Amino acid sequence: MTSTTAKPATGTKAGTPETATTTAGTDRVELLIGGMTCASCAARVEKKLNRMEGVSATVNYATEKAKVTVPDGIRVADLIATVEKMGYTAEEPEPPRPAPESESSASSAPPPERDAELGALRHRLLVSVLLAAPVVLLAMIPALQFDNWQWLSLTLAAPVVVWGGAPFHRAAWTNLRHGAATMDTLVSVGTLAAFGWSLWALFLGDAGLAGMHDEFRLTARMDGASTIYLEVAAGVVALILLGRYLEARSKRRAGAALRALMELGAKDVAVLRGGREVRVPVSSLAVGDRFVVRPGEKIATDGTVAEGVSAVDASMLTGESVPVDVGPGDRVTGATVNAGGRLVVEATRVGGDTQLARMAKLVEDAQNGKAEVQRLADRVSAVFVPVVILIALGTFGVWLGVTGDTAAAFTAAVAVLIIACPCALGLATPTALMVGTGRGAQLGILIKGPEVLESTRRVDTVVLDKTGTVTTGRMSLQAVYSADGEDEKELLRLAGALEHASEHPVARAIAAGAEERAGTLPTVEHFENVPGRGVRGRVDGREVAVGRLYDELPEELARATREAERQGRTAVVAGWDGRARGVLAVADAVKGTSAEAIGELRRLGLTPVLLTGDNRTVAEAVAEAVGIDAGNVYAEVLPEDKVDVVRRLQREGRAVAMVGDGVNDAAALATADLGLAMGTGTDAAIEAGDLTLVRGDLRVAVDAIRLSRRTLATIKGNLVWAFGYNVAALPLAAAGLLNPMIAGAAMAFSSVFVVTNSLRLRTFR
């Protein structure tokens, strides 16, 4: 049994395999449910499972999966038996199988039986369409009606109704035996009633006489015993089979992003064993193994570069188009592509712990969840079919009582049965979720659950952690001020060489900046660290000192120091032979995309707030650089006080989103109405967030909110269509204003419309 420890949605982690008989009070089980044909089927299965003592289940019609939380003492076999008693099938997903070829991703791809089902459905559809088309044409075009045409129609329609409609009849019979009714019941009863009426009219009425002519009408007929409905019986079956086929194919396309994500990983890897390269399946990699990645190859798993320098293309995983340079000590992610030189990587995460596996798990969990709006649709679907049957009976009775015309009453009742399908209701949310979350994964945005979408709509304030979110989180050399008559390059060479021997973060920033601007740095002799003041030593025969080791500064350097500090930078004085020669300004650099991102957040109607533990001077300088108002800056905030700032904003009536990446952001991310965790940050922050941004670019936060809002808007649009379609169509059908075949076409294409509308999310940019 696949199980996980039950936690809130923001912190659910993948668990480990267990045996099917060892369940615990907080275990979660996933089941594949077969035989569901509409949303009311899913609602029935969910209701039945939830009636088991202590069981909490969610059944998703689009993904055909049940997520079940089971109490102590209930086995997976008990759950399966409960589902099977209802006439459906249930089984556990196959565990991932290690394999060197593409089989390794079999668990993510559609199972072979799913392909076989789609193929069988396509075959049934093609045969039914070929046989039904002449029947419909003969009924609609009187000029084609030769003598005894009705008997040819019967010959062609019979296999369509009996064999083509067999899945509907079989499901309706199974449901009847279990005292239930679903959309299949409506289709089966409607088509069999139309076919049965036609048989009666042909053999016992006037419709079988030679020379009989019929006329197709959009509304109910009034011709009594001379009326046949073979085109309704055959046409509805063909149309609904077409709707089912398009729906099934669209659902496969909707889940394609998750399958593509799972298939990104490498299949095998060249591991270093005893100094030799040995090709092994990725599944046999262990933490600590070193493996070789040649140019053009995928990196097999998450790790740290041990040898080599290259550029890594992570576009398929993060959506970032520009390759990232890596060297010894840099982290790399599995499934990204080595675009440059040969790398030797030491594995740090394998299997289900890798970023790719965790991304896929988050996406799948989100796709299997339900938003609050979907729960309303499920409740409607659960009672919809019985209500429709009652409406159909009432329609028949009213028409018969008012007009006395059995044929007209029958036509109106059949139209009610056929047009009322809750499928669109059941597909409205899950298909949009599948496409939206899948598209998000392609862009490096992981949405943890459907409830997150509803949070994005309410948010009006976004709190941004400074370090690592708005800024790079690394000190870097920002500016160089040299005294009059001094050469800037020489200043950088000598000061950079001295700082290169120090491990202080400011010193490392100066050394890196000097090497980048002045080239190779000379060696240092007699290096000395003066605690609390700086460093000194001999470079190129000169006595060089960097830090607070000078009592007096030339006026231009004193002015430069004040200017740097005003901008929130750390000013470091450098010189040699007893004289100050320049000032080096170091700061945590603002990311180049942060100002653009904050402008976009404002355009979305959000108020940006900066939150940092740095001093106010630094915080206000960063805020000014990116366009955040000084009144929305919270500086010198201790890590444990970040939660208090979020709560204070919430008490002011604001709906707060929080963007952060560190351990000290985790509590604030969890407290906020919407937590956006930078995927470049710590595991604690990622687990606490509602949305994970795989790329460390604040613009992705903007895209995440836009995608979430658009997905929610698509869900609502689908539901408005699904509800509105039924609200408008049922009265028309009951009033006799719809021919049953037109009703069948409308019903079939309502589901296709909902799925197609959801697929538009694939074009999100």
Side-chain angles (χ1 to χ4, degrees):
M1 180 183 74
T2 303
S3 65
T4 60
T5 302
K7 293 185 179 180
T10 54
T12 304
K13 294 184 179 72
T16 55
E18 299 175 4
T19 63
T21 56
T22 57
T23 59
T26 55
D27 280 351
R28 286 184 182 172
V29 182
E30 182 179 285
L31 296 176
L32 300 177
I33 308 295
M36 294 193 300
T37 55
C38 65
S40 56
C41 294
R44 281 188 62 226
V45 175
E46 184 174 305
K47 186 175 180 181
K48 193 75 171 179
L49 287 172
N50 282 325
R51 281 181 177 172
M52 298 175 71
E53 189 173 352
V55 170
S56 175
T58 298
V59 179
N60 190 310
Y61 170 53
T63 59
E64 297 179 350
K65 289 180 180 178
K67 294 281 188 180
V68 191
T69 302
V70 294
D72 213 10
I74 290 186
R75 302 172 304 153
V76 177
D78 299 330
L79 302 173
I80 292 174
T82 299
V83 175
E84 289 179 343
K85 282 179 186 175
M86 303 172 67
Y88 303 98
T89 64
E91 61 180 351
E92 291 183 86
E94 288 186 16
R97 296 172 296 158
E101 303 302 328
S102 58
E103 290 178 26
S104 61
S105 58
S107 63
S108 64
E113 58 268 23
R114 189 71 57 81
D115 290 330
E117 286 173 12
L118 194 63
L121 180 58
R122 181 170 58 245
H123 175 67
R124 192 181 296 271
L125 167 65
L126 289 174
V127 173
S128 297
V129 168
L130 287 173
L131 294 176
V135 178
V136 173
L137 289 173
L138 285 170
M140 291 181 69
I141 306 174
L144 299 178
Q145 295 172 1
F146 52 87
D147 284 349
N148 296 314
W149 66 273
Q150 65 271 42
W151 297 103
L152 174 62
S153 291
L154 175 63
T155 304
L156 295 173
V160 177
V161 175
V162 176
W163 176 79
F168 310 123
H169 309 319
R170 196 180 304 120
W173 173 245
T174 300
N175 290 325
L176 180 63
R177 285 192 293 116
H178 292 90
T182 66
M183 171 254 186
D184 293 293
T185 308
L186 302 181
V187 175
S188 179
V189 170
T191 54
L192 288 178
F195 188 68
W197 178 283
S198 301
L199 290 178
W200 176 83
L202 285 168
F203 288 100
L204 301 176
D206 302 330
L209 299 176
M212 189 276 280
H213 287 275
D214 203 353
E215 184 179 346
F216 181 81
R217 296 174 187 166
L218 295 176
T219 58
R221 303 182 189 181
M222 306 286 184
D223 304 315
S226 64
T227 300
I228 58 174
Y229 291 96
L230 292 173
E231 82 283 4
V232 171
V236 165
V237 168
L239 284 167
I240 294 177
L241 283 173
L242 175 62
R244 283 272 176 93
Y245 174 72
L246 293 174
E247 178 186 308
R249 209 175 65 161
S250 297
K251 285 198 294 184
R252 281 168 55 88
R253 289 173 63 197
L258 177 58
R259 292 194 295 274
L261 187 66
M262 289 295 289
E263 290 165 4
L264 281 178
K267 306 299 179 274
D268 53 20
V269 58
V271 182
L272 291 174
R273 299 266 167 87
R276 293 175 54 247
E277 292 183 26
V278 181
R279 207 84 192 172
V280 300
V282 168
S283 57
S284 65
L285 267 180
V287 173
D289 281 349
R290 291 194 170 195
F291 58 92
V292 176
V293 189
R294 290 183 174 80
E297 288 185 339
K298 288 181 180 178
I299 296 172
T301 193
D302 297 359
T304 304
V305 176
E307 299 174 21
V309 176
S310 182
V312 171
D313 179 2
S315 58
M316 73 291 294
L317 203 64
T318 67
E320 188 170 20
S321 58
V322 180
V324 179
D325 293 331
V326 297
D330 288 334
R331 291 190 303 173
V332 289
T333 305
T336 55
V337 177
N338 178 14
R342 177 181 182 273
L343 294 175
V344 175
V345 179
E346 183 175 319
T348 56
R349 285 176 173 170
V350 296
D353 292 331
T354 64
Q355 183 170 324
L356 177 65
R358 292 165 71 195
M359 283 175 65
K361 179 65 178 169
L362 284 172
V363 173
E364 187 175 17
D365 285 347
Q367 291 182 352
N368 283 322
K370 288 189 180 181
E372 192 57 40
V373 286
Q374 176 63 18
R375 299 189 186 281
L376 172 63
D378 286 349
R379 286 194 291 272
V380 172
S381 297
V383 299
F384 193 76
V385 174
V387 169
V388 167
I389 291 175
L390 289 175
I391 292 174
L393 291 173
T395 299
F396 182 82
V398 170
W399 269 83
L400 192 60
V402 172
T403 67
D405 191 316
T406 308
F410 172 80
T411 304
V414 169
V416 169
L417 286 173
I418 289 173
I419 200 164
C421 169
C423 282
L425 285 175
L427 291 168
T429 294
T431 51
L433 266 180
M434 289 171 72
V435 181
T437 54
R439 181 59 182 150
Q442 292 173 333
L443 298 174
I445 302 163
L446 304 182
I447 303 170
K448 280 199 175 176
E451 64 282 348
V452 171
L453 303 176
E454 287 155 349
S455 299
T456 61
R457 178 191 56 185
R458 298 192 306 269
V459 164
D460 55 28
T461 302
V462 58
V463 176
L464 305 168
D465 174 60
K466 180 183 77 70
T467 306
T469 302
V470 177
T471 64
T472 62
R474 297 186 306 274
M475 301 295 281
S476 62
L477 183 61
Q478 298 292 301
V480 179
Y481 306 92
S482 54
D484 292 341
E486 300 294 342
D487 180 57
E488 183 178 303
K489 190 171 182 180
E490 182 70 4
L491 173 67
L492 285 170
R493 279 184 72 252
L494 299 178
L498 188 62
E499 293 285 56
H500 193 270
S502 172
E503 290 299 318
H504 193 281
V506 171
R508 294 180 67 175
I510 292 173
E515 198 165 21
E516 183 180 328
R517 301 185 192 190
T520 306
L521 302 177
T523 56
V524 180
E525 299 174 337
H526 309 302
F527 176 82
E528 180 187 357
N529 183 18
V530 182
R533 301 199 62 195
V535 292
R536 56 191 174 203
R538 180 180 289 273
V539 182
D540 283 354
R542 294 171 176 170
E543 297 293 334
V544 181
V546 178
R548 292 182 294 173
L549 295 168
Y550 297 92
D551 296 327
E552 292 185 10
L553 296 179
E555 177 54 32
E556 69 267 27
L557 294 187
R559 191 166 53 249
T561 301
R562 290 193 297 270
E563 176 62 19
E565 290 174 347
R566 190 192 67 78
Q567 294 176 353
R569 297 170 175 174
T570 300
V572 179
V573 180
W576 53 88
D577 299 336
R579 241 176 65 211
R581 312 279 180 155
V583 173
L584 309 173
V586 176
D588 179 6
V590 174
K591 291 179 181 176
T593 57
S594 292
E596 178 188 344
I598 287 163
E600 290 289 336
L601 289 171
R602 286 186 184 280
R603 280 188 279 278
L604 289 175
L606 302 173
T607 301
V609 172
L610 188 67
L611 182 64
T612 179
D614 272 354
N615 65 66
R616 178 155 292 276
T617 301
V618 172
E620 289 182 348
V622 171
E624 184 181 354
V626 297
I628 295 177
D629 298 337
N632 289 324
V633 175
Y634 291 83
E636 300 172 20
V637 178
L638 297 174
E640 57 269 25
D641 294 334
K642 289 186 176 183
V643 172
D644 294 335
V645 173
V646 172
R647 285 179 177 155
R648 189 188 317 165
L649 292 169
Q650 289 171 330
R651 283 195 297 270
E652 292 173 4
R654 303 197 205 183
V656 179
M658 168 79 187
V659 185
D661 73 334
V663 172
N664 57 12
D665 299 324
L669 286 167
T671 303
D673 299 288
L674 179 68
L676 295 92
M678 291 288 193
T680 50
T682 64
D683 290 349
I686 292 169
E687 289 297 337
D690 301 308
L691 288 159
T692 299
L693 315 176
V694 177
R695 200 160 80 237
D697 186 336
L698 194 55
R699 289 177 302 179
V700 184
V702 180
D703 290 339
I705 293 172
R706 284 178 51 240
L707 175 62
S708 297
R709 287 182 174 180
R710 184 164 163 190
T711 303
L712 183 63
T714 301
I715 289 172
K716 290 189 170 181
N718 286 347
L719 287 171
V720 166
W721 163 260
F723 277 114
Y725 158 80
N726 280 299
V727 167
L730 278 173
L732 289 175
L737 299 177
L738 281 180
N739 180 290
M741 193 176 72
I742 302 299
M747 184 275 287
F749 285 102
S750 68
S751 295
V752 175
F753 170 83
V754 164
V755 177
T756 305
N757 187 45
S758 298
L759 287 171
R760 290 169 55 234
L761 287 168
R762 297 171 74 190
T763 63
F764 177 85
R765 293 287 181 268

